Amino acid sequence: MRNTVKSYIEKNNWECEVYPSPFAVFLNKDEKIYVEPDISVICDKDKLNDRGCVGAPDFVIEVVSKSSRKMDYTTKNALYSDAGVREYWIVDPEKERTTIYYYEQDEAPMIILFTQTIQSGIYEGLEINISELLK
């Protein structure tokens, strides 16, 4: 998935960086609270330093595991929303679905089955079909 997002950004010549975990994201300027998203996309390079990202990434993808379920669906969801992440995807292999939060649009989350194609809300033309990636 990281490579799909990275290829899309490079193809469109965007000045964004794609980071896989482990990569520290300090959601507050005080640099005390941090998370390690599975995939982070940061387009404001001023947010990057030698410790990671300070401030909200534009786009975050988390892949749920049994040990991360509560953290991804509740804790990180609230943190990302409050911090200003623009778009958040929770990829859930156990349920074979992805929950999409388009925070900028202030809408209810969308649930997309792995067999369906997901369209990014902030990156026009970025489409991902999870079942195709898993083949």
Side-chain angles (χ1 to χ4, degrees):
M1 192 170 340
R2 175 187 174 266
N3 290 337
T4 302
V5 174
K6 186 173 176 68
S7 295
Y8 171 82
I9 287 173
E10 288 172 353
K11 183 178 102 180
N12 286 283
N13 295 316
W14 289 357
E15 296 295 320
C16 301
E17 298 293 332
V18 181
Y19 294 96
S21 181
F23 177 74
V25 173
F26 298 89
L27 294 172
N28 300 316
K29 298 266 185 211
D30 64 10
E31 294 191 36
K32 291 182 181 174
I33 299 174
Y34 76 94
V35 292
E36 289 186 347
D38 292 316
I39 299 173
S40 304
V41 179
I42 297 109
C43 297
D44 180 355
K45 293 193 180 180
D46 289 337
K47 292 181 179 180
L48 299 172
N49 67 25
D50 60 343
R51 295 184 65 207
C53 175
V54 179
D58 294 275
F59 179 38
V60 170
I61 299 173
E62 295 284 7
V63 179
V64 176
S65 67
K66 287 184 182 189
S67 64
S68 73
R69 180 169 299 283
K70 184 176 180 182
M71 178 71 79
D72 293 338
Y73 278 102
T74 57
T75 307
K76 285 186 175 181
N77 184 17
L79 288 170
Y80 294 151
S81 176
D82 290 346
V85 169
R86 297 173 61 201
E87 187 167 333
Y88 177 37
W89 294 10
I90 304 172
V91 179
D92 193 329
E94 183 179 312
K95 297 185 186 244
E96 295 186 5
R97 68 182 188 197
T98 303
T99 304
I100 313 292
Y101 292 89
Y102 300 122
Y103 295 129
E104 287 184 325
Q105 298 170 14
D106 195 29
E107 295 176 359
M110 295 175 54
I111 296 175
I112 309 291
L113 301 176
F114 277 11
T115 56
Q116 299 173 296
T117 299
I118 304 169
Q119 171 64 54
S120 172
I122 61 173
Y123 301 117
E124 186 177 334
L126 174 58
E127 298 178 343
I128 296 177
N129 184 296
I130 303 295
S131 63
E132 291 294 317
L133 292 177
L134 297 175
K135 286 184 179 180

